[in-house]
Every structure is written in C-alpha cells, then in structure tokens.
Amino acid sequence: MPQHFDAIVIGTGQGGSPLAVRLGENGRKTAVIERATFGGTCVNVGCTPTKAYVASARAAHVARHAAAWGVQITGDITVDLARVKARKDEIIGQSRRGVEKWLRGATNVSVFNGHARFAGAHSVRIEARDGQPAQDLEADEIFINTGTRPVIPTLPGIEDIRYFTNSTLLDLTTLPEHLVVVGASYIALEFAQVFRRFGSRVTVIVRGERVLTREDADFAKSLQDVFVREGIEFRFGANPTRLEALGGRGGDGTAVRVHLAGDAPPLDASHLLFATGRRPNTDDLGLDAAGIEVDKHGLIPVDGELRTKVPGVWAIGDVNGRGAFTHTSYDDFQVVAANLFEAERTGERRSVDGRTMVYAVFVDPPLARVGMSETEVRQSGRKALIATMPMSRVGRAREKGETAGFMKTLVDADTKQILGATILGVDGDEAIHTIIDTIKAGAPYTTLMRAMHIHPTISELIPTLLEGLKPMV
C-alpha cells in the first residue's frame, strides 16, 4: 500500500525546500523527494559556485591592475584553480548540508532520496539511489520543483570528444590553456570572463552578430567592449558544424578542433564549453501518468497561481516557464504559500501574472535589468520618456576607478510609471533595487527622483538620471 501524505514536494531547490517546511509548519504531513544533491541548481551548480568563482576572478583582476590604485604588487599574479575549486566546494558543502539538515529537522516533513516518477495524478513511485526497494507515495497535493539541465547541441563528432557544461567545468583543477565557449548569453559570458581573469585564453563563438540578444544593442556593445579590453576574443556569425578530437594535445583528452560554417577557419581548443541554454527536467517524471502536459520546450504550463491543469498539482521554479532564476523560484514559493495559508485570512490571492521581471548578469561590471528594455518600449508603441547617464558621471564609480557602462531608464509619459531600467556598471546589481521597489510600490518616477540618497553611492545618481528624462523619439 502507498504511504499517504497530505503533500509531496519533488525537488529541493529554492522553491521546493521552503515550501516543504512551510507545509509542515501548517500541519501538512509532507514528503520531500531529492534524487541528487540538496539545494537544487542554485546551490550546487548555479549561483553559489559561479559567484564564488566570480569573486576569485575579480581578486586576480584587481591584483593585476593594482598599480592603477597606487598599490604596487611585485611578481606575476597566478591563479591556483585547485584552491579556487576547494574554496567553492566548501561554500557549496555548507549550503547543501544546511538545506538537508533544515529539511530533516522540519516539523511534519519526511525526506526521501531517489528518483520520483508519477504513477498517477496523485501518486508517486520513488526509485531509490542505493538499491533499496522502490517506495510508493500518494498525496492530495503535489508540487514539482525539478529545475533544469544544460542543453547540448547535436553536432557531428560530439560523441568522440570530451566537452564541458557549466556544471562540469567547475570540476577542473588545472586551468584551460584555451577555453572556447559556444554561446553568448549570461552563463557563457560569466564563464568567459572568469576564466580569462584566471589566466586562460578565451574565445567566444557567437552564432549571431552580437552578445546578449535579450538586451538593448547599446548595452550589449558596451559589455562586449569591456570583454575585448580584457583580452577575450569573439567569433561572430560563427556556426559550429563539426567537432574533432585532437588526441592527447589537451593532456587529458579535452583538446578539440571546432569546425565552423563557411570559410571560417577552425578553432583549436584545449577545453570546449557549451553554454547554449537549459532545458527543464520534466522528461523523466512520468508526467503522462498524471495527465500533465508540457509545451514544446518541456515546460509545464501553469496559471497565475502556478497550478497545472491537473487539480492539486503545482509546478514551481524553472520548470514552469514563469522565470528561470533563483529569485523567481523563491517568489513562486511565496505565491503558493500565501494562497494556501494566508488568502482565507487576508482575502487576497497572489499571482505571478503581474510580476515584473528582474535579473542580473554577474559579469564585471554587472548588468542589472528590471521591466522593459528600450527595444520593448518602442515595439509597444506607447509614448515614453527616456534618460541615460554614463557611469563616468557617478562620483563613486570614479573613486573606485570603475567607470565602464551606463544607466538607462524608461517612463510612461502619461502615467509617470517607470516601465523599465537597465544598469551596466559597478554595483548596478544593488542600485537597481531602488527602481525595482518603486515599480512594485506603483509610485510615479517622481517619488524616486525626489528621494534623498546617501552620498557617495551608485544609487544616489538614479534621481539625477530621472531628472534627465526626455521624450523618446
């Protein structure tokens, strides 16, 4: 007979873990199932390890350029990747152990290790990792939080080479001589800059004519210029057609020749990284048995309250197509929990339908975005105001010696509501929150423009930026 629970949570990512605990705290007998490592993508192969690498890379970069701040460092600056990895592993371990301890100690929560597959709309079979017999569970409420994995393109020769993803590249203990990155979006650019600052030669293969196609062209070009100054090479309009192993030239079987379309010369890489997107982990969950459909990308359609078409089943986090970030996954948890446990008392139901998208690209300087881009505003046809300001006008940026980038904001000319903003510049990932909060509050841009900010900070120039709004033509 299946074990009966009030709720089952599949996955322990940034949405699933706190939801399992909240369910238990509210008297729900809850099962939480993890087939791999606790903490999900963010803790294990996403935010936590990559930002640890970003920090190490920045330390090396600052040390190499210390003379610009009047600091003399003698000798070559080198990076011990094994020590960088060890530091990263310790940070991951602390977080992973913390999540597991939290879940195992939570009230009314039972933790299961293994691969969960639906056996019906409200039943799950767990295939244990350690060879133990399968276990059958059932529950009135099931929450899917299984995350994503890297997309690997289908290319001739790929079965004959050793390639890397954002996960496996983090296992290296020796620096690549020449890292070739296929892809030009967030993950690709973060790794490109990190390993260039570590000391590797880095070439980025871009299928189109520019990086970061989701952003306005001026921001993409500005960031590209930063990368070129740091010695990162780009191959634009390049389409890999075939991969060829180069025997022992990489020392560990990693050397690859990347053949490109047309007359473009091939690239020889000591290490090849594919950063060509991610796909949801939904194809091995037995969703057909539950009557749960997915779209052409493998995403589970949900309504504004994150419910699937099957009553009593929710999908949260990266698998639902409502945002592929840690903060959107956590917000999913907050929406679901509020509707389950607070709506009756408050009379208010929460929805992700009106959520303003926010994110950052954690390159250096970071690029942070909230709401609409200039391109999107122009496509909407609405009457708008626009303002831009170079980071060279920001006193704190000049004092830090980091003036690359600029700010841009867009405002609805009639309602005075901020439509969106992007900041490419030092501490932009923090400064953007003043605009995020203003948008969330539904306040006109004048509220932020008239606020008194602390000097000297990056944020203090945002009111000045808003003072420069002009009609967009």
Side-chain angles (χ1 to χ4, degrees):
M1 290 291 293
Q3 299 181 60
H4 180 77
F5 290 84
D6 297 315
I8 296 173
V9 178
I10 306 174
T12 61
Q14 298 303 299
S17 293
L19 181 59
V21 173
R22 184 69 60 85
L23 288 163
E25 290 173 343
N26 281 273
R28 302 279 217 283
K29 181 183 176 184
T30 302
V32 59
I33 307 167
E34 176 54 63
R35 68 176 173 181
T37 48
F38 288 85
T41 299
C42 177
V43 165
N44 294 287
V45 296
C47 313
T48 298
T50 57
K51 295 338 168 250
Y53 272 40
V54 166
S56 294
R58 178 167 171 77
H61 179 73
V62 171
R64 290 192 187 100
H65 297 85
W69 288 275
V71 178
Q72 299 300 318
I73 298 177
T74 58
D76 293 334
I77 303 300
T78 60
V79 172
D80 183 342
L81 190 58
R83 291 189 65 181
V84 171
K85 178 182 180 297
R87 174 179 178 270
K88 175 264 297 182
D89 288 344
E90 178 57 28
I91 295 171
I92 290 175
Q94 291 174 353
S95 298
R96 184 187 297 161
R97 291 189 297 270
V99 171
E100 183 174 4
K101 182 179 180 180
W102 181 41
L103 288 169
R104 292 191 184 279
T107 302
N108 293 323
V109 174
S110 298
V111 177
F112 295 84
N113 296 105
H115 188 148
R117 286 186 172 88
F118 281 89
H122 294 279
S123 59
V124 170
R125 167 160 284 200
I126 305 172
E127 298 174 2
R129 293 185 304 187
D130 53 7
Q132 295 297 313
Q135 296 176 280
D136 294 312
L137 312 182
E138 62 180 13
D140 297 329
E141 299 172 339
I142 299 182
F143 304 87
I144 304 168
N145 180 224
T146 49
T148 60
R149 65 184 185 276
V151 171
I152 305 301
T154 302
L155 288 170
I158 195 167
E159 67 279 358
D160 300 323
I161 69 163
R162 182 183 175 194
Y163 60 83
F164 294 86
T165 68
N166 66 292
S167 303
T168 57
L169 198 68
L170 295 167
D171 293 330
L172 291 178
T173 55
T174 56
L175 281 176
E177 178 184 344
H178 182 197
L179 176 66
V180 171
V181 182
V182 180
S185 195
Y186 315 127
I187 293 174
L189 295 185
E190 286 184 25
F191 273 97
Q193 188 179 48
V194 161
F195 276 85
R196 177 61 188 148
R197 288 182 169 189
F198 282 169
S200 299
R201 177 188 172 196
V202 176
T203 302
V204 179
I205 296 177
V206 186
R207 293 177 183 269
E209 298 303 320
R210 68 177 180 90
V211 301
L212 295 179
T213 55
R214 187 175 180 178
E215 311 304 327
D216 289 333
D218 49 2
F219 282 107
K221 180 61 166 61
S222 182
L223 185 57
Q224 177 188 323
D225 290 345
V226 170
F227 276 37
V228 170
R229 287 196 295 272
E230 292 192 14
I232 295 172
E233 304 167 44
F234 289 91
R235 289 281 191 94
F236 289 99
N239 188 24
T241 58
R242 182 167 62 89
L243 305 172
E244 177 187 353
L246 295 180
R249 288 179 58 183
D252 55 2
T254 63
V256 178
R257 176 164 292 161
V258 183
H259 294 270
L260 303 172
D263 297 328
L267 275 172
D268 286 353
S270 66
H271 297 72
L272 177 63
L273 168 65
F274 284 114
T276 49
R278 297 182 68 82
R279 66 179 54 173
N281 294 321
T282 55
D283 52 345
D284 57 0
L285 293 178
L287 296 179
D288 289 345
I292 299 173
E293 299 177 352
V294 298
D295 66 13
K296 63 181 181 179
H297 303 293
L299 297 165
I300 301 174
V302 294
D303 65 12
E305 296 188 10
L306 306 173
R307 296 174 295 201
T308 71
K309 290 184 178 180
V310 177
V313 181
W314 289 255
I316 63 175
D318 298 358
V319 297
N320 63 25
R322 294 301 192 105
F325 303 99
T326 294
H327 49 271
T328 53
S329 183
Y330 189 79
D331 192 63
D332 285 357
F333 144 67
Q334 292 181 311
V335 168
V336 171
N339 291 335
L340 287 175
F341 304 120
E342 299 172 15
E344 186 174 344
R345 174 180 58 83
T346 63
E348 177 186 1
R349 299 194 68 83
R350 290 187 58 180
S351 171
V352 301
D353 284 342
R355 186 161 64 187
T356 301
M357 191 52 62
V358 298
Y359 56 85
V361 187
F362 291 97
V363 289
D364 185 16
L367 183 146
R369 164 102 174 267
V370 56
M372 302 174 74
S373 66
E374 179 184 347
T375 302
E376 291 169 340
V377 172
R378 290 186 182 278
Q379 290 173 345
S380 74
R382 70 181 73 199
K383 190 167 72 171
L385 308 176
I386 186 170
T388 62
M389 177 184 292
M391 293 300 292
S392 58
R393 281 197 56 192
V394 182
R396 187 64 182 274
R398 294 198 304 272
E399 292 150 10
K400 287 188 170 188
E402 300 179 53
T403 57
F406 62 101
M407 305 180 186
K408 181 191 293 184
T409 188
L410 296 116
V411 170
D412 188 292
D414 296 321
T415 67
K416 310 305 181 188
Q417 300 290 307
I418 300 176
L419 298 173
T422 306
I423 301 176
L424 172 61
V426 58
D427 295 336
D429 50 340
E430 293 289 347
I432 197 78
H433 285 84
T434 62
I435 300 175
I436 293 173
D437 294 342
T438 303
I439 293 174
K440 180 62 177 177
Y445 79 89
T446 51
T447 300
L448 178 55
M449 186 181 71
R450 295 165 184 167
M452 181 176 66
H453 286 194
I454 296 171
H455 173 80
T457 62
I458 304 300
S459 296
E460 73 167 318
L461 265 291
I462 291 178
T464 306
L465 169 70
L466 293 169
E467 288 175 0
L469 285 166
K470 297 179 180 179
M472 187 174 68
V473 296

